[in-house]
Amino acid sequence: MAHPAPGPGRALLGVLHGVLTAAAAGDALSLYAGFRAHSAVEGDGEFAYISEERWQAVDTLFVRVDQLQMMTLLACAAVFITWFHRVRQRAGALAPTAFRRGPGWAIGGWFVPVACFWLPYRIASEAWTVGLRGAKGPFWPLNLWWASFAGSLLLGRYASVRYRRAEDIGPFLDAVTLGMVADALSIVAAGAAVFFAARLTRMLDAERDPAV
């Protein structure tokens, strides 16, 4: 008798929660850097300026925060995609016809330009449907995670472009503000991902013994 593929496991889920928490902490530090940048500006309107000393301090802080965020992002990506692939395998073993694409897309879908903004969501939605076992259930944990994640990613990239092109105080502060909004969305995304991952893992694990 064939047995369903094993679920992602509690240990992997715990590691995922850990790296997501670390990522949220990095985003909170980036928010702090944004507040520091705004507070470093002296004057108002057309007379606003940043002293050379304060500018160097703010720039150094941003560089260090960016390095920290990059490390936590890479860690999150590695752990989350591993978890995501195992969830796809587990759900696919339970309901092979529920997915339009093979389990490899649970990894490759993240690296396809443009399509990466909807392929993983589609796979997650199909896995969530399998976890619901035909019952009507809420999709808001999935939708909240994906909306906040995609929004923070797009807005963060746009803010980075604006930051690099800023030549005056006004555009610089606008870019910083956009980055702060992206950081706030990223914190929401991390919290939503923790809940979404725990909920989906629990739903798929329940399939092992329907009597549970």
Side-chain angles (χ1 to χ4, degrees):
M1 179 179 178
H3 296 282
R10 303 269 180 167
L12 180 57
L13 187 62
V15 174
L16 177 59
H17 286 182
V19 294
L20 285 170
T21 301
D27 293 328
L29 186 58
S30 183
L31 273 176
Y32 168 74
F35 283 117
R36 281 284 302 273
H38 277 279
S39 65
V41 176
E42 300 179 31
D44 190 21
E46 297 181 358
F47 300 100
Y49 71 95
I50 300 178
S51 66
E52 184 67 23
E53 181 180 354
R54 288 189 172 187
W55 167 252
Q56 289 295 335
V58 168
D59 189 56
T60 299
L61 180 59
F62 272 123
V63 169
R64 291 177 178 174
V65 168
D66 284 344
Q67 291 173 343
L68 176 62
Q69 285 185 302
M70 181 57 66
M71 289 189 295
T72 56
L73 176 62
L74 291 175
C76 271
V79 178
F80 189 90
I81 291 175
T82 299
W83 170 86
F84 196 67
H85 182 246
R86 290 190 184 181
V87 160
R88 168 60 181 87
Q89 288 180 311
R90 171 65 178 163
L94 294 168
T97 61
F99 294 87
R100 296 179 60 186
R101 297 171 180 83
W105 282 100
I107 297 175
W110 295 93
F111 303 98
V112 181
V114 182
C116 64
F117 285 100
W118 65 270
L119 270 177
Y121 173 81
R122 179 66 182 178
I123 295 170
S125 178
E126 291 168 340
W128 189 269
T129 301
V130 171
L132 289 174
R133 291 178 283 180
K136 291 184 178 181
F139 273 75
W140 69 261
L142 165 64
N143 293 333
L144 176 61
W145 159 62
W146 189 254
S148 54
F149 167 73
S152 67
L153 195 62
L154 290 171
L155 190 58
R157 289 182 178 179
Y158 178 61
S160 296
V161 172
R162 291 281 300 271
Y163 183 84
R164 290 194 298 268
R165 293 179 178 177
E167 297 180 353
D168 297 317
I169 296 297
F172 164 72
L173 290 180
D174 289 341
V176 169
T177 300
L178 287 173
M180 293 173 70
V181 175
D183 290 330
L185 279 175
S186 186
I187 292 173
V188 173
V194 167
F195 182 78
F196 160 71
R199 181 77 177 273
L200 181 55
T201 299
R202 185 166 59 250
M203 288 195 302
L204 293 177
D205 281 347
E207 289 279 4
R208 294 182 181 182
D209 184 3
V212 175

